[in-house]
Amino acid sequence: MDDLIKRAAEDLAAAKNVAALTGAGISVESGIPPFRGKGGIWEKFDPMEFAHIDAFMRDPAKVWNVLISEMKEIVDRAKPNDAHKGLAKLEEWGILKTVITQNVDGLHQMAGNTDVIEFHGTFAWQKCMDCDKRCETSKVEMTQIPPRCDCGGILRPECIFFGEMIPQLHLVRSQKVASQCDIMLVVGTSAVVQPASFMPVISKQSGAKVIEINPEKTPLTGTVSNYLIKGKAGHVMKRIIKEVGLLRDL
Ligand code: APR
């Protein structure tokens, strides 16, 4: 692992336009469980019963009571970890330009990244299904379920449910970022959900290096990614940042 950390630091220090694609794994060290694998959210809740748009439309109270209220509690408490902070540092140093995240937790922005494409939307805001008025999730009173807007309409999170389209603007911009970067850093994603997991493929096809950070192999490993640094995102990023810092001081 030491060699790969040094290699990644050298690659990043020499790069001019780095993009990152992040997934649930980057927020695990912030106390947010991933979706798949042991202890994952989809082990506890059937996504088709709680995270599909048809399930929400059929019974919003059930989805609010179970999935959304639990997510609200977890996300309200979460703070950026060393991996989020590391990506913010790379932006501060002018190395990283854009984060494409599948996460809806807002932790990249909290860490200081300014160009974050929220591919699957955001959990930080709710929108009224009748009048479109928005309100911050942290300010939503849980006294009535489902919570309602002043106009009486039901509130829904601004993240996308299964069965909904990726916002067109996010998709187009992500494809552009992925095709123009010289390194795509893929952190904490199982890379099984399309079209997000196609972004590193676009980068690779456009001539970029693809670097993965994940404790496990993914479908990108050995096919799309140039190398995988096997480990937890916070731990690995902290070490990479230290090495990049040393190279910058030379
Ligand atoms: N550091 C880095 N990676 C980790 C860590 C960690 N500490 N812990 C787990 N991982 C890795 C796992 O090995 C796995 O590859 O994070 C990945 C998490 O995968 P998923 O749970 O599938 O999360 P993600 O890839 O973001 O899922 C994509 O699926 O259900 C949807 O909309 C949801 O945006 C989500 C999408």
Side-chain angles (χ1 to χ4, degrees):
M1 171 143 122
D2 289 359
D3 284 356
L4 286 179
I5 300 255
K6 284 213 163 67
R7 184 170 164 194
E10 281 164 13
D11 284 342
L12 289 168
K16 303 236 166 337
N17 181 1
V18 175
L21 172 70
T22 66
I26 197 170
S27 296
V28 165
E29 287 152 274
S30 295
I32 303 180
F35 293 98
R36 296 173 183 78
K38 204 159 167 271
I41 292 175
W42 300 152
E43 208 175 52
K44 217 161 131 192
F45 307 114
D46 175 357
M48 290 307 124
E49 201 184 333
F50 292 102
H52 196 284
I53 186 62
D54 294 345
F56 185 76
M57 297 307 278
R58 230 180 357 252
D59 194 348
K62 177 177 159 183
V63 176
W64 261 100
N65 261 327
V66 180
L67 182 62
I68 305 180
S69 53
E70 174 156 335
M71 270 180 77
K72 182 172 166 357
E73 225 169 83
I74 295 171
V75 172
D76 273 354
R77 278 199 308 261
K79 298 273 173 296
N81 64 51
D82 285 335
H84 302 102
K85 289 179 197 164
L87 292 182
K89 194 61 170 174
L90 288 178
E91 178 181 321
E92 192 188 311
W93 282 336
I95 295 172
L96 177 83
K97 305 291 184 220
T98 305
V99 178
I100 304 167
T101 188
Q102 296 164 88
N103 300 345
V104 296
D105 55 30
L107 294 182
H108 288 300
Q109 294 92 324
M110 214 187 278
N113 281 110
T114 58
D115 187 18
V116 182
I117 303 176
E118 293 179 304
F119 206 79
H120 293 160
T122 175
F123 191 73
W125 291 87
Q126 303 287 324
K127 192 157 96 179
C128 171
M129 291 175 69
D130 285 351
C131 73
D132 281 351
K133 192 173 148 196
R134 300 170 81 221
C135 74
E136 279 177 73
T137 304
S138 58
K139 296 196 177 133
V140 170
E141 296 283 349
M142 297 294 282
T143 40
Q144 64 167 342
I145 300 288
R148 288 178 186 270
C149 173
D150 300 338
C151 81
I154 292 172
L155 296 179
R156 61 154 292 168
E158 280 206 325
C159 43
I160 59 162
F161 286 98
F162 282 106
E164 291 190 295
M165 298 272 286
I166 305 291
Q168 203 64 15
L169 255 179
H170 293 185
L171 183 57
V172 170
R173 189 133 190 268
S174 299
Q175 286 168 333
K176 187 165 177 218
V177 165
S179 67
Q180 291 178 343
C181 64
D182 48 14
I183 292 185
M184 172 60 88
L185 201 52
V186 183
V187 190
T189 177
S190 58
V192 294
V193 175
Q194 296 283 12
S197 59
F198 196 61
M199 298 305 128
V201 179
I202 295 178
S203 303
K204 180 75 171 187
Q205 282 173 342
S206 310
K209 264 186 197 151
V210 177
I211 306 172
E212 275 190 282
I213 302 175
N214 198 311
E216 309 286 340
K217 287 184 183 171
T218 77
L220 302 175
T221 313
T223 53
V224 173
S225 60
N226 292 67
Y227 52 97
L228 162 72
I229 308 178
K230 249 186 160 185
K232 293 184 179 177
H235 176 72
V236 170
M237 277 303 298
K238 193 173 178 179
R239 293 191 57 199
I240 291 176
I241 291 301
K242 194 170 161 210
E243 291 293 328
V244 176
L246 292 175
L247 291 169
R248 282 170 54 85
D249 288 343
L250 286 179

